Amino acid sequence: TQLLEQSPQFLSIQEGENLTVYCNSSSVFSSLQWYRQEPGEGPVLLVTVVTGGEVKKLKRLTFQFGDARKDSSLHITAAQPGDTGLYLCAGDLGSSNTGKLIFGQGTTLQVKP
Amino acid sequence: EAGVAQSPRYKIIEKRQSVAFWCNPISGHATLYWYQQILGQGPKLLIQFQNNGVVDDSQLPKDRFSAERLKGVDSTLKIQPAKLEDSAVYLCASSPQGFRKLFFGSGTQLSVL
């Protein structure tokens, strides 16, 4: 049973298009993180959201944490080939941000020039 | 600042053999994690150390996997004997105490034939 469900699992789009990746769970998280992983490398943290309803922007990336802290989304505007990679959401099930993270299965994004 | 160092980068073994992975976390980081990432899936936590004590090893297959973090610095993860289903990337990560951001190494890719 996957605690964190990401959708879609694969996404192939043209440069300049917009996209949204979803991360859903029935569990409540104290915080939720988004990572990006390139082939042959470890995941790199993009953002951490903590408060229900929180929205954070990182250049063309917009991250939202659900009001109930059970779900999150990542929206990319005007995708570029450099955005290609595996996007992972990770929820902290512990209290007070213990650092014990449960990862989703990931969304593989391919942006074609 | 040096990142999380892992070795070896790649390892190919036959089933029933033993293998060991090494991780040197970022200097001063109290928490160290070992994750297993099977192709097409998100990382799965195997074990979490706080300094040299184990915080969580609930998903570590203890009949074949073992890990230690002597002196609270670097760590080794061992598999003995290896099975075909152990083929995966083994990621080490570290984080400062009380801080929820994980820094990952590049991983060790294990192939069990």
Side-chain angles (χ1 to χ4, degrees):
Chain A
T1 302
Q2 188 69 36
L3 203 57
L4 268 173
E5 294 283 347
Q6 281 188 242
S7 62
Q9 280 193 274
F10 302 97
L11 197 53
S12 182
I13 61 173
Q14 292 295 134
E15 182 176 2
E17 292 184 2
N18 302 332
L19 67 115
T20 302
V21 177
Y22 299 93
C23 178
N24 295 297
S25 177
S26 58
S27 300
V28 177
F29 297 105
S30 57
S31 67
L32 193 136
Q33 301 180 353
W34 284 92
Y35 289 79
R36 179 167 167 264
Q37 184 176 20
E38 297 193 34
E41 298 298 329
V44 175
L45 180 66
L46 296 173
V47 77
T48 301
V49 285
V50 179
T51 307
E54 183 176 3
V55 176
K56 280 193 175 179
K57 291 192 175 183
L58 186 65
K59 296 183 180 178
R60 293 176 294 101
L61 278 60
T62 302
F63 305 86
Q64 185 162 7
F65 201 12
D67 291 341
R69 289 185 290 128
K70 293 182 179 181
D71 56 86
S72 181
S73 64
L74 158 60
H75 182 79
I76 301 180
T77 303
Q80 299 177 1
D83 296 327
T84 294
L86 177 68
Y87 289 82
L88 295 158
C89 64
D92 188 342
L93 281 174
S95 59
S96 303
N97 304 305
T98 60
K100 177 181 177 179
L101 295 181
I102 306 298
F103 282 82
Q105 76 271 41
T107 295
T108 299
L109 171 65
Q110 181 188 43
V111 182
K112 300 178 207 173
Chain B
E1 180 182 74
V4 176
Q6 288 189 248
S7 67
R9 196 82 169 83
Y10 305 94
K11 191 72 179 179
I12 300 174
I13 61 172
E14 294 186 349
K15 59 183 179 183
R16 290 188 289 274
Q17 286 187 326
S18 62
V19 64
F21 312 127
W22 174 82
C23 173
N24 190 19
I26 293 173
S27 178
H29 281 196
T31 311
L32 185 147
Y33 314 77
W34 282 102
Y35 281 87
Q36 180 193 58
Q37 186 174 24
I38 293 173
L39 187 65
Q41 298 181 18
K44 183 184 86 171
L45 179 67
L46 293 175
I47 189 166
Q48 177 179 342
F49 292 95
Q50 182 76 14
N51 296 309
N52 61 348
V54 175
V55 173
D56 184 352
D57 63 357
S58 57
Q59 296 195 86
L60 187 74
K62 298 180 186 65
D63 57 334
R64 299 185 300 106
F65 285 63
S66 64
E68 59 181 12
R69 190 185 184 195
L70 300 176
K71 301 180 182 178
V73 182
D74 56 354
S75 175
T76 55
L77 176 69
K78 296 180 182 178
I79 307 175
Q80 183 180 7
K83 293 185 175 181
L84 296 177
E85 58 262 35
D86 298 333
S87 294
V89 175
Y90 291 84
L91 294 164
C92 178
S94 68
S95 66
Q97 187 164 352
F99 192 43
R100 65 182 82 93
K101 179 177 181 178
L102 269 61
F103 295 81
F104 283 87
S106 297
T108 295
Q109 185 171 333
L110 173 67
S111 297
V112 182
L113 307 177

